[in-house]
Amino acid sequence: MKSIFKTVAYITIFSIITRALGFIFRIYLSRALGAEALGLYQVSLSVFMVLLTIVSSGMPVVISKLTARYYAQQDKKSEGSLMSTSLLISLITSVVLIAFVLIFKGLFSKIFADDRCYTILLVLLPAIVCSAIYNVFRGAMWGHSNYFCYCITELFEQVARIAICVFLLSFGLTSLSPSISAGLSLTIASVLSAILAMVLYFIYGGKLKKPNNIYKEVLKSSTPITGVRVASSLVQPIIALIIPARLIAAGYTSAQAMSIYGIAIGMTMPLLFIPVTLVGSLSMVLIPDISTAIVKNDAEHINNRISSSILFAIIITFLLIPLYIGAGDNIGLFFYDNLQSGQLLASAAWTMLPFSLLNITSSILNALGLEVKSFVNYLIGSIFIFVCIIFLPAVIGIRALVLGMGLCVTVTSLLNIRMIKKKTNLKLNLFKPIVKLSLIALPTAALTYFVTSLLSNFMPLFFNLAISCSLGAIMFVLLCVMFGIINIQTMFVEVKSYFESKKRKRAN
């Protein structure tokens, strides 16, 4: 398990850098574009992202899984045919989507309240083709476990987009409106990143062969994954319409409803998704890893990977839950100067566990070839979120959204775990560690709350959070060691053997 977690740490570092740059870039855009131009760009981007999801969500996952299989079999011909077939499918899909946007201009004019949004969307359209190409080659890198190239292309795209946008807005084509400049920067960055992905693929020995009838398997596997992510993309704007309307019906003013919805989605949710960043890195590594083990018929390896990865996701998530519960108010004040976001964060902290489990179990199901089951499970879970946001805002306000999302991912995760156990005959036995970690979380949250409350009287927020959360994390780890959830002796032996192997390699 050492090598996989080393890779996870490696991917996580790249992911944190990329996301941090994206966060800074969003701040820059909000200031450089102004409220009106930013609003136009965001509306156009929301439609563009749905189109992009169709061409770029399911395909990389399937390519990574099949590439790992062919790589393990040393079947370069099939791998080359897979790449050519996937490129053909992706290009046809992207061209059809672009044609749809161009032909049905009247439909999009009705969707957009401002005609300028359609113009911005037209500027963004070439990025759909480039992203389709880009994701095929990145999927191959993923399948070969070439995570350096996989991560560097994503980082390059982010850096290129920022640099081009800053140039266009500050020193470039002043005749363009700011929102069009922002859209053009995304398109140009997509072109450059697609070229880089292609170059890296061929540099590392990749080839293209004549397409074959593998397109049936590619479409069969990628369609359910794409369906889940498109459905998720479509659910968000539907929620954005329902929640404010139901809050207004419950007695909130329009301004209050939009404000509290913005706090929940824009402030609280990003903090709740922090564990998913680390768990997502593990999920990425699992797909080619399990796919290779399936080819080798290594059931023991598959079962060990599944059980240890799910346990890892649970422990990582439980580390943050008591910290959010204990210091939620001050976390909201520190990041957003908003007490309500912190209060909502504390009450919603429990949802991080099912979110992490959903992320890891969905990847496992994809690796096991159960994409359709994963899609069905998601649809079943989604019922709960709509029931909650329609009927409960009058009772519990915006927490209806939190409860709905929590129930949605909980039900989906449980169904996913059931399918994994059925497919692998693996006894996961998750109940006992979850109960132990829940009991450990109680004193950890109490300590964090006590320390942060005590320090609030005479210490700045940054140092308050640094001390209280550090003490809470230390207590959590110590209790995990005491209750046998973390075996410190085993970890010490593994770290020691890792450095000894490094030392031997240098000596040779």
Side-chain angles (χ1 to χ4, degrees), residues 485-502:
I485 296 173
I486 297 176
N487 192 323
I488 199 73
Q489 184 176 359
T490 302
M491 291 176 62
F492 176 78
V493 171
E494 289 187 350
V495 171
K496 183 179 179 181
S497 62
Y498 170 76
F499 283 108
E500 286 178 349
S501 65
K502 283 285 189 181

Side-chain angles (χ1 to χ4, degrees), residues 323-324 327 331 448 451 464-474:
L323 305 186
Y324 279 10
I331 291 173
T448 306
V451 175
N464 179 323
L465 289 173
I467 294 172
S468 60
C469 290
S470 295
L471 290 175
I474 291 170

